[in-house]
Amino acid sequence: SIMPDIIYTCRPATDAETSHTIAHLKAHTEASTGVEVRYEPFAITAYEGNHLIGSIIGKIYSGWMHMDLVWVDEAHRRRGIGRQLIEHSIAEAEKHTLSGIEVWTQSWQAPEFYLRTGFSEFAVLEDFLPGRKRHIFFFFFTYNRNFLPHMV
């Protein structure tokens, strides 16, 4: 049989395309692993009055908290707000008995901050941008002994 012409595009995904893709990947993962996949967006936020001054935005997926966006307003940095956001994230992940937390960051985004807050470096991608690195960190809960990552 002859396949119809396939058209490939590159543009932002529509909500319908994203939902469709997630549904199929979720079904495949559940069928392959026998484990229900939870995919829950979350936001941990810090407000001063009505002004958002910091946030961690991500998703809980496959027993892990994935921090996609971590931000503290520049005028509010070095005041413990980032640490408090991380501590709230850790408490939330622990409350849900997640395996751990993972975050990717770049060399210009204070990777040492994650080390100071109890994260371990899992991998480094050299020259992510010329002369810059991408760092992958995880926070592992000691009650979960089923996952022991291979350290850098």
Side-chain angles (χ1 to χ4, degrees), residues 60-101:
I60 295 172
Y61 178 74
S62 294
W64 281 81
M65 177 179 278
H66 302 270
M67 295 179 173
D68 295 321
L69 304 170
V70 179
W71 166 79
V72 173
D73 180 70
E74 198 166 337
H76 292 82
R77 293 181 187 162
R78 303 209 181 283
R79 292 176 36 193
I81 294 165
R83 178 174 289 281
Q84 288 293 312
L85 287 166
I86 293 290
E87 288 176 6
H88 279 76
S89 298
I90 290 169
E92 192 66 24
E94 198 165 27
K95 182 172 86 175
H96 294 287
T97 60
L98 299 177
S99 296
I101 303 170

Side-chain angles (χ1 to χ4, degrees), residues 60-143:
I60 295 172
Y61 178 74
S62 294
W64 281 81
M65 177 179 278
H66 302 270
M67 295 179 173
D68 295 321
L69 304 170
V70 179
W71 166 79
V72 173
D73 180 70
E74 198 166 337
H76 292 82
R77 293 181 187 162
R78 303 209 181 283
R79 292 176 36 193
I81 294 165
R83 178 174 289 281
Q84 288 293 312
L85 287 166
I86 293 290
E87 288 176 6
H88 279 76
S89 298
I90 290 169
E92 192 66 24
E94 198 165 27
K95 182 172 86 175
H96 294 287
T97 60
L98 299 177
S99 296
I101 303 170
E102 60 100 4
V103 61
W104 295 41
T105 193
Q106 284 62 244
S107 55
W108 65 92
Q109 295 176 314
E112 64 280 354
F113 165 76
Y114 297 97
L115 295 172
R116 288 195 312 267
T117 56
F119 283 73
S120 298
E121 192 164 52
F122 183 71
V124 176
L125 304 175
E126 300 287 339
D127 284 328
F128 177 71
L129 291 176
R132 307 295 180 143
K133 299 176 183 176
R134 186 160 203 183
H135 301 264
I136 305 168
F137 294 95
F138 74 93
F139 185 96
F140 177 69
F141 292 104
T142 56
Y143 58 75

